[in-house]
Amino acid sequence: MSLRTKSIVTILSITLLTLPAHAGFFSGLANAFSKVPGVGNLVDSAGNRYAHRKLSGKIRDLERDALRCQPLESDNGLTVRTFMRLQPGFPKWKRLKKLEKVAKKARDKAEEKSSNDKVRHCYAGCFIGQKLSYSSGVLAGFLKELKDASDCESSTRFELEDYYATVAGATAARKVNRCESFCGAPSVARADGSEMLKLAHRLKNR
C-alpha cells in the first residue's frame, strides 16, 4: 500500500471513528472497515489512538472532580493522587466499545450473586475478564473507584480493597469456568480485596 493510500485510509479511519455511534463510543462503520484486508491494521491503530485519547480525557476529568473532594475522599491515607498511580493500561478500542455495556451487566449479575461487597467486585471483574479481557476488568475496577471518588459522596468513597477485589476477579477469569467457583469460595468470600488478589495469583500460577 502506497504512502498516499495509507494517509487516505488513516484520515478515513479517524473520520469513521468520530462519527456519532449508537450507545456511545465508536462508529460501527469503523468496525466494518477494520476487517478489510490491508486496511484493518490502519483502522485499528487509528481506533486505538482515538479511543485511548478520549478515555484519557475522561479520566483526567474524573481525577479533577475527585481532587475537589479531598480530604473527604481518602482511604486510610490513600489519596486520589496516590490512587492515580495505579492507572492501568487500556484495552484495544473494540473492547472499549463493549466495556460500558458489559460492565453494567456485570454489576447487575454481581448484585444477584451476593450481598458481600468484595465478592460482588470480584464477580464483576471476573465476568468482564471472561467476556472481554483481563485489562478490561482491571480498567473497569479502576474507573469504578475513580467515579466513586469524584462524586464527593461519603457513601460511595473509593476503596483500594474494592479495586483489588475487582482485579482478583479479572485475574481468576481465565482459570475458572464459572466466576462463582472462585469468588464465591469460602476462603475468598471471607477475604479482603488484597487477600483475594493473592489467592487469584495462586490460582493463576497453578
Side-chain angles (χ1 to χ4, degrees):
M1 186 181 294
S2 68
L3 180 60
R4 182 172 180 275
T5 303
K6 286 183 178 180
S7 297
I8 292 172
V9 170
T10 300
I11 293 171
L12 176 62
S13 302
I14 295 172
T15 301
L16 290 170
L17 288 164
T18 55
L19 288 174
H22 177 68
F25 289 102
F26 311 103
S27 170
L29 289 174
N31 188 58
F33 269 85
S34 72
K35 299 173 183 177
V36 177
V39 177
N41 289 340
L42 288 172
V43 173
D44 284 338
S45 180
N48 288 333
R49 287 196 301 273
Y50 173 75
H52 294 172
R53 185 168 62 249
K54 184 175 181 180
L55 183 55
S56 292
K58 181 178 181 180
I59 288 174
R60 284 195 300 271
D61 289 344
L62 288 172
E63 179 187 12
R64 179 200 63 217
D65 292 342
L67 289 172
R68 293 172 180 166
C69 300
Q70 293 197 97
L72 172 63
E73 290 296 350
S74 61
D75 179 14
N76 295 322
L78 175 73
T79 64
V80 171
R81 290 190 187 280
T82 307
F83 182 68
M84 289 302 297
R85 297 174 189 168
L86 299 177
Q87 181 176 325
F90 298 158
K92 294 181 179 179
W93 75 272
K94 288 183 180 179
R95 284 174 176 159
L96 280 173
K97 179 182 176 182
K98 300 174 183 177
L99 182 55
E100 188 173 13
K101 183 176 180 180
V102 173
K104 183 181 184 304
K105 189 171 183 179
R107 182 195 65 200
D108 293 343
K109 284 189 169 293
E111 290 177 352
E112 294 173 3
K113 296 293 181 181
S114 177
S115 59
N116 182 314
D117 184 55
K118 296 298 180 289
V119 172
R120 286 179 173 181
H121 278 274
C122 177
Y123 184 87
C126 180
F127 183 89
I128 296 169
Q130 289 187 337
K131 294 295 182 182
L132 296 176
S133 65
Y134 166 80
S135 60
S136 299
V138 173
L139 177 62
F142 177 82
L143 290 174
K144 169 64 168 64
E145 297 313 309
L146 190 55
K147 285 178 181 177
D148 285 349
S150 70
D151 64 11
C152 299
E153 293 288 340
S154 58
S155 61
T156 60
R157 67 184 180 86
F158 79 96
E159 293 184 37
L160 186 60
E161 292 297 328
D162 285 350
Y163 173 67
Y164 285 154
T166 308
V167 176
T171 301
R174 300 300 178 185
K175 297 292 289 187
V176 295
N177 292 324
R178 296 170 63 251
C179 292
E180 298 93 322
S181 64
F182 173 74
C183 299
S187 60
V188 177
R190 290 194 300 266
D192 58 18
S194 52
E195 185 60 31
M196 281 183 174
L197 189 52
K198 291 178 184 178
L199 293 170
H201 279 300
R202 288 178 198 165
L203 176 66
K204 181 182 177 181
N205 294 329
R206 283 180 189 171

